[in-house]
Each structure stands twice: as C-alpha cells, then as structure tokens.
C-alpha cells in the first residue's frame, strides 16, 4: 500500500519539486497539494494524509507542525527557521503522542556528509568559521544547515577546550556567533544553496564545500523521510538520524 503524502507550500520552489518527486515514487501517493489559503487540518482529515511535507515559511512552520501532529499525521519538515525552543516543544509533543516526525534543515545527503566530515575534522582543527551562500529569496539567516553544522561541531568540541572566536564581544563584520563559531551569510540572486566550512591550523587550512546546483538534490532525502517517518514513535532533528 503506498503512503498517503500531502505537500504544504506546494506552489513554492521546493514544493513544486517535492510534488514531482512524490508523484514519481511508486511507494508514495500524492493525496493533496496546498498553500497558505487552505485549511491544513481539514485537508489532512479529508485526504487521509499519513505524512505531511511542510515547505513553507519560517513564520508559519511551527503552527503548521503542531496542526499536522494534532491531526494525527506525521510531519516531515523541510522549512527552516524553527528555534531550538520550538524544536524541543515539537519533540515533546511527538513523544507524548508516540508520533513519528522529521525536522531536517537540509535534505541533501551530500550536505549531511559535509556536516559529518566537519564535525570529524573539528576534533583535530578546532578553529573554524562557516560561510553559507543562498538565493536572495531565503528569509532566514543564518541557514538552518549552518546552525546544525555549528551544533554538530560543538557536540564534538564539548569534550575539548574549544577555542572562542577571536572577535567575541568586539564590534565589526565577523559574522554571527553560534556555539562560539562565526557564521557568515551571503544572499544573492543566482545562488541556490552552498556552504563552506573553513578550518585553520598551524601553517595550513582545510576547506569543506558543498554546492546545491538544483533543488532536485533535496528530493531523495525528502522521499526517504516520508517512508521512514511512519516507523518512528518520536521526532528526529536532522536527516542524518535516518541514514
Ligand atoms: P518559496 O518558494 O517562498 O515557497 C514557500 C511557499 O509556501 C509559497 O508558495 C508560499 O505561498 C507558501 N506559504 C507561505 N505561508 C504558508 C502557510 N502558512 N501555509 C502554507 N503555505 C504557505 O520558498 P522555498 O524556496 O520553496 O523554500 C521553502 C522553505 O524550505 C524555506 O524555509 C527554505 O529555507 C526551506 N528549504 C529547505 C531545504 C531542506 O533541505 N530542508 C532546502 C531548501 C529550502 P506564497 O508565495 O503565496 O506566500
């Protein structure tokens, strides 16, 4: 039996790609495509959606995710901009209802590997800065991927004497700090999504880069999450938890 999937934000750039990807997957059934004028709860009930993929906006995503969980469907959240407090509340809500959920700031498998490699490298090269580059229409900054990368590096560095960024508390243009790691956000037309993680050592540097050339790159991760989320009884944050 195919899994019933509803796409919220279906008329957006990511939403349109997700609609095509779900339609082309024989294990999934697209039961609806909706946007901001639709009643999310009512459509979930009418369409019998088991999984709802949310690709909307930072302002709408928390309310949407709660509505999805309360309507007895499993959320697969690609929209970025959820705060750590909101993610914690959504985790608690899913655990209480024994409902599977996935929140992934990046559904690209290569981007997940870039984050994993970055965390690994930080064991040996603790001095690091992140540059993320996105299209001009991206509403949030820094990107969810950059924040997640900083979190993964911080987890590894927690056991070590992690260096503070040299400019902390000094005004200038040295990026925003997350877990003491400077993140520099670039927003320009022509870009899709890229990230560089730069490590500095004694007499050498190491640079890990990931470039998204087309939004199709995110689709295998979204399809994987739609299939695996029904087997979960809690919410996971990060596609790497499913790989
Ligand atoms: P987009 O082109 O602006 O699309 C967003 C869509 O959501 C629009 O059609 C918008 O409608 C609609 N929308 C706005 N508020 C809504 C609501 N309350 N309920 C339902 N739909 C609503 O943006 P995008 O480039 O597709 O990106 C969407 C999100 O995905 C962003 O947060 C982005 O950062 C994220 N993203 C995630 C990944 C990942 O791998 N996790 C990758 C790329 C992008 P209107 O245009 O009419 O306002």
């Amino acid at each position: 039996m195919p899994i019933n999937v509803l796409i919220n934000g279906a008329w957006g750039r990511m939403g349109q790609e997700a609609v095509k990807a779900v339609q082309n997957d024989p294990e999934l059934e697209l039961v609806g495509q909706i946007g901001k004028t639709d009643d999310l709860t009512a459509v979930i009930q009418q369409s019998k959606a088991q999984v709802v993929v949310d690709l909307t906006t930072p302002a709408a995503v928390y309310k949407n995710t709660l509505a999805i969980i309360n309507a007895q469907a499993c959320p697969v959240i690609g929209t970025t901009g959820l705060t750590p407090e909101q993610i914690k509340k959504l985790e608690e809500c899913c655990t209480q209802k024994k409902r599977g959920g996935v929140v992934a700031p990046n559904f690209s498998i290569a981007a997940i590997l870039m984050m994993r490699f970055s965390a690994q490298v930080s064991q040996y090269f603790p001095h690091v800065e992140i540059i993320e580059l996105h299209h001009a229409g991206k509403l949030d900054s820094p990107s969810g991927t950059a924040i997640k990368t900083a979190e993964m590096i911080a987890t590894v560095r927690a056991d070590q004497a992690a260096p503070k960024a040299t400019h902390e508390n000094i005004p200038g243009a040295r990026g925003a700090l997350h877990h003491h790691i400077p993140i520099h956000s670039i927003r320009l037309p022509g870009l899709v999504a890229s990230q560089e993680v730069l490590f500095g050592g004694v007499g050498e540097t190491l640079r890990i880069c990931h470039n998204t050339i087309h939004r199709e790159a995110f689709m295998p991760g979204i399809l994987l999450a739609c299939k695996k989320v029904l087997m979960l009884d809690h919410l996971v944050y990060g596609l790497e938890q499913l790989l």
Side-chain angles (χ1 to χ4, degrees):
M1 280 280 280
I3 299 165
N4 289 348
V5 179
L6 174 70
I7 311 278
N8 193 24
W11 321 118
R13 287 163 289 215
M14 282 289 285
Q16 287 176 32
E17 282 300 325
V19 163
K20 278 190 276 175
V22 170
Q23 281 173 330
N24 289 330
D25 190 318
E27 293 176 48
L28 305 176
E29 175 85 31
L30 184 72
V31 293
Q33 312 176 40
I34 56 171
K36 68 179 170 199
T37 55
D38 295 288
D39 180 337
L40 177 57
T41 303
V43 178
I44 293 171
Q45 284 159 359
Q46 283 153 17
S47 65
K48 298 194 168 38
Q50 296 166 279
V51 176
V52 181
V53 178
D54 190 279
L55 296 161
T56 62
T57 66
V61 59
Y62 181 64
K63 199 168 150 237
N64 288 348
T65 312
L66 283 178
I68 296 164
I69 298 165
N70 289 329
Q72 325 267 5
C74 293
V76 168
I77 307 300
T79 313
T80 50
L82 282 167
T83 64
E85 295 74 31
Q86 287 173 331
I87 294 170
K88 193 162 177 284
K89 281 189 189 155
L90 294 172
E91 281 170 347
E92 286 166 4
C93 189
C94 278
T95 300
Q96 197 192 358
K97 291 179 186 290
K98 295 195 181 346
R99 184 147 299 273
V102 178
V103 173
N106 202 315
F107 277 109
S108 146
I109 289 162
I112 301 302
L113 293 172
M114 175 260 298
M115 290 186 245
R116 274 194 186 164
F117 296 153
S118 298
Q120 202 180 343
V121 170
S122 70
Q123 285 178 280
Y124 307 98
F125 292 90
H127 295 274
V128 56
E129 302 208 6
I130 298 170
I131 305 173
E132 55 96 348
L133 307 92
H134 282 84
H135 60 91
K138 184 167 176 60
L139 297 176
D140 53 321
S141 70
S143 70
T145 305
I147 294 171
K148 179 79 179 158
T149 308
E151 278 174 22
M152 287 171 71
I153 290 172
T155 304
V156 170
R157 295 201 313 188
D159 298 337
Q160 308 166 356
K164 292 205 164 172
T166 48
H167 66 294
E168 290 197 21
N169 303 322
I170 302 170
R174 293 279 288 102
L177 291 168
H178 285 260
H179 300 282
H180 304 295
I181 297 169
I183 304 179
H184 311 266
S185 297
I186 315 287
R187 298 287 175 267
L188 282 174
L191 295 167
V192 179
S194 298
Q195 179 166 297
E196 295 181 20
V197 187
L198 277 87
F199 296 89
V202 179
E204 59 184 347
T205 61
L206 178 60
R207 184 184 295 240
I208 300 174
C209 301
H210 174 256
N211 295 311
T212 309
I213 294 148
H214 193 279
R215 290 181 180 83
E216 275 180 327
F218 303 113
M219 296 308 131
I222 289 182
L223 298 176
L224 179 81
C226 288
K227 292 169 195 174
K228 291 212 169 175
V229 72
L230 289 179
M231 298 171 211
L232 300 173
D233 61 0
H234 61 287
L235 183 137
V236 298
Y237 169 50
L239 184 70
E240 67 280 4
Q241 314 282 343
L242 301 180
L243 296 178

